[in-house]
Amino acid sequence: MKELFAILIGAIFVENFVLSKFLGICPFLGVSKKTSTAVGMSGAVVFVMVLSQAVTWLVNHYLLKPNSLEYLQTIAFILTIASLVQLVEIVLKKMIPSLYKALGVYLPLITTNCAVLGSALLFVERDYTFIEAVVFGFAAGLGFTLALILFSGVRERLETCDIPKAFKGMPITLVAASLVSIAFMGFASLIIP
Amino acid sequence: MEEKKGLLSIFTNGIIKENPTFRLLLGMCPSLAVTTMAKNGLGMGAAATFVLVGSNLVISLIRKIVPDKVRIPVFITVIAGFTTIVQLLLAGFLPELNKQLGIYIPLIVVNCIIFARAEMFAQKNGPVAAVIDGLGMGAGFTLAITLIGSVREILGAGTWMGIPVTAKLFDPAVLFILPPGGFLVMGFLIAAFNKLADRKKSETETQEETGCAAGCPGCSKAMHGGEA
Amino acid sequence: MYKEVIKPSLILFIVCAVVTGALAYVNGITQPIIEENERIARQEAMAEVLPGSSSFSEPISYEELKEEGFPVSSTIRNIYEAVDAGYVVEAAVKGYGGEVNMMIGIDLDKNIKGIKITSHNETPGLGAKVADEEFLQQHYGQIPEDGFKVIKGVSKSDSEIEAVSGATISTMAVTQGASDAAKLVSAIIDGVKEEQKDPKQAVLPGAVDFTEPVPAEMLMSEGYDVTERIVNLYTAEGIGYVVEVISEGYGGPLTMMVGFDTEKNITGVKVVEHTETSGLGSQVTDTEFLEQFKGVIPEGNMFKVVTRPSNERNEIEAVSSATVSSLAVTRGVTDAIALISSLAGGN
């Protein structure tokens, strides 16, 4: 239980995917302009990450490992994630149209979100159990959400600022991200021994 | 002659005008994550270039026989294949670098640059042009992330490619090799590139907002369209 | 149909097959190289942490060491022996960014000769500094009696390790690995094993050879007093008996051995396996509790569990807050007594 809690807190704050591991930067910079889109994207990411952690863990544990096909990991994971995202989309569209409406537009962006593949590769590296891997995926998704929503607030304010021309757009966004990232470094001492 | 000039411009296009990192703002994750040292940037750039050239070549070769319906899964498979080859070769011959780059090597698969080039260029052009495009984009990416790596290493660790350079000038600021330094250096370098591009051409901010917003989601949308 | 479904599927399948084939081929080439690299890297690291040695034994794993009964901490992965020189321990401790893998070389005089961090994920510029020789060499030299202690500030003795500033967790990981390795190697050099000899010998001192176990069914068919808790009976010719009993505890079955000499005195009780609550019920495995059973068989062949200190021969003081576990052990012993009494009396 303590282990899981450590993974949870660790993945949300200490090793925040976006701000300290640089995973999922593209959606972080791309979709964080407005808080409402940030919320939608985050929901979709958390949802897909939990699912994909579960499925890729099973693929790795029952298909790749027993047959010593570890070298096919990358290819197996990315194809699994791509099909999973597709499947989620179809199922949501048919079964829960309201949820599909909320998350639908963000789903296709997730296949190329390196946070999803990244967390799958990390559970292999860290030798997580099934439960740990799923909790890790959930927490990493929450960490992504936290960064995205916090940052969308920062960016909404930036819009109204007088910024030197060369810094307009992405550069000032990155400088702001740097400051948010410094704030997150404060969590570094927050580790459960 | 005409043909040659065309190829040359395809090559230089990737380095300057459409520099994937600074102008197209693609592949931000590795650009920020592995650039704590110039050497890592160079290694990552070389690995990505290999994948780019390989997948561009193969995709260009098979572009006519692959039905549109399975285009995306085929692309993913080819790219993932080349990524794994790079991963295995690095583990075999450059284990030190492989350890440094860690999971960011397999993550080349989801690097938008590669998918974007497959979709926007290799798919529509012959193999020679596709390879040149891969080389140009790869070189642009490599130069960019080596530059970021150099700045961060010099400011943050006081060394360049492992050689001490600033020992007598100033104490290195560790912050630059920590995550915030990545964002900061990247922001300033893009601003500098914008300034340069601005001076060259009076090209306005049209380029600015393309960025990741249009880049990654752009290529993902293409992926989506292909599979649906 | 062909164009819509079969052709795309076929092409996708062919692409997948070709890519997989290519990967299998490349893997076939690089796999041996990767393994060889790892072997060379390990050899080099070992020679580095234990200078002057070049040939090392095959790795002895954590499981094997545990089996042998050495005090091995879970951070230990492998140990290699260098003949007449010392040992190299491979350890992996959880640091700040993941596992810190390291090698520790210790010579036969119990001096730490070298430490090498073989891989880590600590923060560059902060935690990563624990891989620097400057930090690591604080551990070198004679192994301190009570292990190392991480401190912030200036170290005043050999056992105090100055933490890398801003990276206490990474520091603690490395120091813990060094301490664990030191403990293991000292134990190996001194030949100290954790008490893990045959539990039958532990409860019946002096006995070496035992007969094959006689199972409960056979004892029953011969008319001895056998309860459902009795599993096996071992006999040490001329010295005594050991009864193997499984009793139901608080957390599940509790296996134990009860030793008797030929005079029907209880020579010892040992809990071999249990799933009692750690820190509470698990205390029934402590010698302090089990010592109470030793001695002559009490009046009426029965023990009584009480929750207060007692000097009565037939009263056993329960481990506090673990009455169920205490009862389980006591019932097991009582059943063993019944069996042994019927052995001597009945036949």
Side-chain angles (χ1 to χ4, degrees):
Chain A
M1 210 48 221
K2 204 171 141 202
E3 279 283 293
L4 293 181
F5 187 68
I7 290 175
L8 190 80
I9 298 298
I12 297 177
F13 297 109
V14 186
E15 42 165 21
N16 185 285
F17 261 38
V18 177
L19 297 167
S20 85
K21 287 198 124 37
F22 296 118
L23 294 170
I25 297 291
C26 287
F28 174 65
L29 296 174
V31 215
S32 61
K33 266 192 168 167
K34 273 204 269 144
T35 310
S36 59
T37 47
V39 172
M41 183 65 177
S42 307
V45 166
V46 174
F47 187 69
V48 171
M49 273 185 67
V50 170
L51 264 180
S52 85
Q53 285 292 90
V55 178
T56 47
W57 192 91
L58 294 173
V59 166
N60 185 51
H61 202 74
Y62 291 103
L63 286 178
L64 300 178
K65 259 192 180 167
N67 301 311
S68 55
L69 291 174
E70 274 98 341
Y71 64 94
L72 289 180
Q73 213 166 58
T74 313
I75 207 164
F77 282 6
I78 188 69
L79 288 176
T80 308
I81 292 168
S83 349
L84 189 76
V85 169
Q86 204 74 49
L87 200 71
V88 165
E89 213 183 334
I90 297 169
V91 170
L92 278 190
K93 209 173 185 173
K94 287 254 159 69
M95 315 290 281
I96 323 171
S98 57
L99 192 61
Y100 176 77
K101 229 175 166 182
L103 305 182
V105 278
Y106 305 102
L107 279 172
L109 312 186
I110 289 174
T111 313
T112 47
N113 184 342
C114 41
V116 182
L117 182 62
S119 56
L121 293 165
L122 281 171
F123 81 66
V124 176
E125 195 179 278
R126 298 178 180 182
D127 227 357
Y128 280 159
T129 62
F130 181 76
I131 301 290
E132 284 172 343
V134 173
V135 169
F136 181 62
F138 176 67
L142 282 187
F144 178 83
T145 309
L146 181 67
L148 205 60
I149 292 175
L150 272 182
F151 198 61
S152 65
V154 174
R155 269 187 93 173
E156 274 175 7
R157 292 199 152 203
L158 275 181
E159 293 288 305
T160 56
C161 292
D162 185 21
I163 297 159
K165 193 160 166 256
F167 271 94
K168 269 199 177 129
M170 204 45 73
I172 194 67
T173 309
L174 284 163
V175 173
S178 164
L179 296 175
V180 178
S181 166
I182 290 178
F184 265 69
M185 279 184 69
F187 290 118
S189 53
L190 215 178
I191 195 163
I192 296 126
Chain B
M1 197 58 204
E2 185 72 28
E3 170 81 324
K4 257 188 189 155
K5 203 182 162 202
L7 291 181
L8 190 70
S9 79
I10 290 173
F11 182 73
T12 54
N13 181 41
I15 298 179
I16 304 157
K17 211 174 100 212
E18 286 190 24
N19 185 296
T21 308
F22 292 136
R23 299 298 292 167
L24 303 182
L25 304 173
L26 293 173
M28 296 294 253
C29 302
S31 311
L32 292 165
V34 301
T35 51
T36 51
M37 282 191 281
K39 203 180 75 198
N40 286 358
L42 197 60
M44 184 69 198
T49 306
F50 176 87
V51 178
L52 249 172
V53 173
S55 59
N56 259 11
L57 173 66
V58 170
I59 286 166
S60 166
L61 283 174
I62 59 172
R63 70 187 192 279
K64 283 183 183 141
I65 54 165
V66 176
D68 214 39
K69 254 193 161 170
V70 291
R71 197 180 78 238
I72 309 307
V74 166
F75 286 6
I76 296 182
T77 313
V78 170
I79 295 171
F82 276 104
T83 307
T84 311
I85 289 175
V86 161
Q87 201 183 347
L88 292 173
L89 291 177
L90 277 182
F93 299 103
L94 294 167
E96 204 50 44
L97 184 65
N98 185 48
K99 219 187 272 172
Q100 292 274 350
L101 298 179
I103 64 162
Y104 295 96
I105 288 291
L107 282 176
I108 293 177
V109 181
V110 283
N111 189 324
C112 319
I113 299 174
I114 294 163
F115 203 87
R117 290 329 281 176
E119 185 74 14
M120 297 191 308
F121 198 92
Q123 247 238 108
K124 299 173 188 143
N125 290 283
V128 179
V131 167
I132 301 289
D133 178 69
L135 280 174
M137 282 291 159
F141 179 62
T142 309
L143 282 175
I145 65 172
T146 311
L147 179 62
I148 304 169
S150 302
V151 173
R152 290 180 69 185
E153 189 182 343
I154 291 170
L155 294 178
T159 58
W160 187 71
M161 296 278 177
I163 310 156
V165 285
T166 65
K168 292 188 187 92
L169 295 172
F170 58 86
D171 276 340
V174 183
L175 182 78
F176 282 97
I177 51 176
L178 294 175
F183 286 114
L184 197 66
V185 170
M186 189 76 167
F188 274 84
L189 285 177
I190 294 175
F193 248 68
N194 282 347
K195 192 90 191 162
L196 277 179
D198 239 19
R199 204 172 286 167
K200 263 190 189 162
K201 266 184 240 161
S202 53
E203 189 183 60
T204 39
E205 283 114 83
T206 42
Q207 277 265 302
E208 249 162 38
E209 287 309 319
T210 51
C212 260
C216 293
C219 67
S220 317
K221 251 173 218 151
M223 296 176 71
H224 179 53
E227 270 179 278
Chain C
M1 179 66 187
Y2 173 76
K3 264 203 130 164
E4 280 293 296
V5 180
I6 299 176
K7 193 182 166 207
S9 317
L10 204 65
I11 286 177
L12 183 56
F13 176 77
I14 292 170
V15 169
C16 282
V18 170
V19 169
T20 310
L23 289 184
Y25 175 74
V26 176
N27 186 54
I29 296 172
T30 54
Q31 190 63 37
I33 301 175
I34 295 170
E35 274 163 19
E36 180 65 11
N37 278 343
E38 279 169 1
R39 201 186 58 80
I40 292 173
R42 200 177 309 125
Q43 283 286 339
E44 276 173 359
M46 284 197 284
E48 210 174 296
V49 295
L50 198 59
S53 326
S54 52
S55 73
F56 293 90
S57 69
E58 286 295 300
I60 304 160
S61 70
Y62 167 80
E63 286 79 21
E64 289 168 273
L65 289 163
K66 184 124 195 151
E67 192 101 321
E68 289 278 313
F70 289 110
V72 48
S73 147
S74 60
T75 56
I76 306 289
R77 288 293 139 89
N78 286 307
I79 186 167
Y80 302 81
E81 188 179 358
V83 184
D84 293 335
Y87 297 87
V88 172
V89 181
E90 247 177 354
V93 193
K94 217 171 151 71
Y96 177 69
E99 277 192 340
V100 178
N101 290 293
M102 56 191 147
M103 284 195 167
I104 303 110
I106 302 175
D107 71 7
L108 291 173
D109 298 324
K110 297 193 206 166
N111 288 310
I112 296 186
K113 302 299 280 185
I115 300 177
K116 188 175 165 65
I117 309 297
T118 47
S119 74
H120 70 84
N121 262 324
E122 304 306 283
T123 321
L126 290 172
K129 281 190 183 153
V130 296
D132 294 350
E133 195 60 21
E134 198 187 332
F135 164 74
L136 293 172
Q137 66 181 10
Q138 296 186 71
H139 300 86
Y140 299 174
Q142 191 71 30
I143 296 171
E145 210 55 16
D146 307 316
F148 294 107
K149 221 175 90 198
V150 175
I151 56 152
K152 292 179 183 177
V154 184
S155 153
K156 282 182 220 74
S157 73
D158 284 348
S159 67
E160 289 184 340
I161 302 294
E162 273 175 44
V164 171
S165 74
T168 318
I169 290 154
S170 311
T171 306
M172 272 160 50
V174 174
T175 303
Q176 159 135 40
S179 288
D180 290 346
K183 205 172 112 201
L184 171 65
V185 172
S186 313
I188 291 175
I189 292 172
D190 297 340
V192 180
K193 294 189 177 185
E194 270 175 353
E195 200 186 315
Q196 201 152 46
K197 50 183 180 182
D198 188 344
K200 295 197 291 294
Q201 289 174 12
V203 296
L204 188 58
V208 182
D209 294 320
F210 288 91
T211 55
E212 286 298 302
V214 182
E217 301 85 58
M218 196 179 289
L219 294 167
M220 202 178 309
S221 66
E222 288 180 23
Y224 299 120
D225 285 353
V226 178
T227 63
E228 74 278 11
R229 294 196 186 93
I230 305 292
V231 183
N232 282 314
L233 174 73
Y234 300 84
T235 311
E237 214 55 60
I239 299 171
Y241 307 93
V242 173
V243 188
E244 188 182 346
V245 190
I246 294 185
S247 186
E248 195 58 33
Y250 180 71
L254 195 146
T255 310
M256 53 199 205
M257 296 285 184
V258 188
F260 296 88
D261 62 15
T262 43
E263 314 276 74
K264 294 200 276 179
N265 291 316
I266 300 177
T267 53
V269 181
K270 192 169 168 64
V271 178
V272 191
E273 243 184 274
H274 72 92
T275 46
E276 301 309 283
T277 321
S278 136
L280 285 174
S282 68
Q283 288 178 54
V284 297
T285 62
D286 292 354
T287 343
E288 206 187 335
F289 171 73
L290 296 172
E291 282 285 311
Q292 301 184 76
F293 293 104
K294 274 194 187 171
V296 294
I297 294 177
E299 200 85 353
N301 293 354
M302 286 282 281
F303 281 111
K304 220 171 87 192
V305 176
V306 295
T307 51
R308 53 175 163 76
S310 163
N311 281 325
E312 296 293 321
R313 176 56 197 144
N314 65 345
E315 288 183 344
I316 298 291
E317 190 193 343
V319 171
S320 74
S321 309
T323 320
V324 178
S325 310
S326 308
L327 270 171
V329 175
T330 310
R331 286 195 189 114
V333 175
T334 306
D335 285 6
I337 294 172
L339 170 66
I340 296 298
S341 316
S342 72
L343 276 187
N347 227 342

